């Protein structure tokens, strides 16, 4: 199955060297080609989707998956494949803040960092989006493919979306260099489900030592 998937690595290289080295160790365990979409400028929401389109056009595999430098992925995350007419998001996504008491927390929300989708469908949907908004998509409407409320506002063709859960979750780090403003100023709230220790990744305080 590994020959049908390319990982699109969207990042700006703004995280500490210690975390970057640990993150690379995790990526090196994966048997998939990676297209590095490094952007030395601060990545905003619009730029993330521009980079996603660039990477999807460079890839040649049937499927692509988004990976980000502040997200840890267990190998099993990349085993899932949606149908060719739908995008998919892994909803087993724990957030880990670099401030406050080290705590994993979960809320039920799709995130582009967990996208696995057919390459041609992503290209088609993003090209339509950018064609309708050549001067840039308003930030409040710039979000994940398959979010039908956004697609109504953007006046783009709805994309089918499937949500699924891996046995081992992915970990999304919330830090001072994050795209989301609430994370940068430490006003983001913990999700309703919380844990100090989870399978595969271990204790939250120990994992944070890879960042500090």
């Amino acid at each position: 199955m590994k020959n049908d998937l390319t990982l699109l690595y969207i990042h700006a290289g703004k995280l500490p060297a210690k975390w970057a080295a640990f993150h690379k160790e995790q990526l090196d365990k994966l048997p998939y080609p990676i297209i590095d979409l490094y952007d030395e400028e601060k990545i905003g929401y619009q730029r993330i989707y521009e980079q996603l389109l660039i990477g999807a056009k460079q890839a040649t595999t049937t499927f692509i998956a988004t990976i980000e430098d502040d997200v840890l992925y267990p190998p099993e995350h990349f085993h899932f494949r949606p149908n060719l007419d739908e995008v998919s998001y892994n909803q087993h996504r724990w957030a880990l803040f670099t401030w406050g008491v080290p705590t994993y927390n979960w809320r039920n929300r799709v995130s582009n960092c967990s996208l696995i989708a057919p390459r041609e469908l992503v290209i088609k949907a993003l090209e339509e989006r950018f064609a309708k908004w050549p001067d840039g998509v308003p930030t409040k409407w710039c979000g994940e493919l398959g979010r039908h409320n956004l697609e109504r506002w953007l006046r783009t063709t709805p994309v089918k979306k499937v949500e699924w859960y891996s046995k081992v979750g992915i970990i999304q780090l919330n830090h001072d260099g994050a795209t989301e403003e609430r994370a940068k100023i430490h006003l983001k709230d913990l999700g309703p489900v919380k844990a100090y220790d989870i399978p595969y990744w271990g204790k939250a305080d120990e994992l944070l030592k890879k960042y500090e």
Side-chain angles (χ1 to χ4, degrees), residues 63-76:
F63 296 95
I64 56 92
T66 301
I67 57 175
E68 298 182 1
D69 59 355
D70 54 6
V71 182
L72 299 172
Y73 301 89
E76 74 167 77

Side-chain angles (χ1 to χ4, degrees), residues 3-192:
N3 294 327
D4 69 348
L5 179 71
T6 299
L7 310 185
L8 307 184
Y9 188 18
I10 299 173
H11 66 112
K14 303 292 187 180
L15 286 160
K18 184 177 181 180
W19 174 268
F22 174 64
H23 191 267
K24 184 178 184 302
E25 288 177 9
Q26 308 309 308
L27 294 185
D28 287 344
K29 298 175 183 178
L30 303 174
Y32 307 101
I34 297 176
I35 294 177
D36 193 328
L37 297 166
Y38 173 75
D39 190 337
E40 64 183 13
E41 299 299 323
K42 182 68 184 89
I43 294 182
Y45 292 115
Q46 170 83 4
R47 186 58 179 159
I48 287 173
Y49 292 97
E50 291 172 348
Q51 292 284 69
L52 179 57
L53 179 57
I54 290 170
K57 287 183 173 181
Q58 291 179 6
T60 58
T61 52
T62 302
F63 296 95
I64 56 92
T66 301
I67 57 175
E68 298 182 1
D69 59 355
D70 54 6
V71 182
L72 299 172
Y73 301 89
E76 74 167 77
H77 165 74
F78 300 103
H79 295 172
F80 185 84
R81 299 290 183 273
N83 294 321
L84 292 178
D85 63 345
E86 61 190 13
V87 298
S88 76
Y89 297 94
N90 185 358
Q91 293 296 84
H92 192 176
R93 176 176 58 89
W94 293 95
L96 179 61
F97 299 174
T98 58
W99 65 91
V101 177
T103 309
Y104 298 111
N105 64 100
W106 176 90
R107 68 175 70 249
N108 190 23
R109 185 191 181 284
V110 299
S111 174
N112 190 61
C113 71
S114 73
L115 173 72
I116 298 177
R119 182 180 66 88
E120 291 183 359
L121 179 60
V122 169
I123 292 172
K124 180 180 179 181
L126 288 178
E127 284 186 336
E128 179 186 0
R129 177 184 291 191
F130 295 142
K132 284 186 177 292
W133 298 89
D135 296 325
V137 177
T139 298
K140 65 179 180 179
W141 295 345
C142 195
E144 291 82 2
L145 296 174
R147 288 179 59 189
H148 293 172
N149 58 333
L150 294 181
E151 290 164 343
R152 284 195 297 270
W153 294 331
L154 293 171
R155 303 188 302 279
T156 55
T157 304
V159 176
K160 289 176 62 177
K161 171 173 64 71
V162 61
E163 299 175 6
W164 60 281
Y165 294 80
S166 57
K167 184 176 180 180
V168 175
I170 67 176
I171 306 294
Q172 185 174 37
L173 194 69
N174 285 250
H175 52 94
D176 292 356
T179 303
E180 187 177 11
E181 189 64 28
R182 290 183 304 157
K184 290 191 289 188
I185 60 177
H186 301 184
L187 287 181
K188 193 170 184 178
D189 296 328
L190 294 175

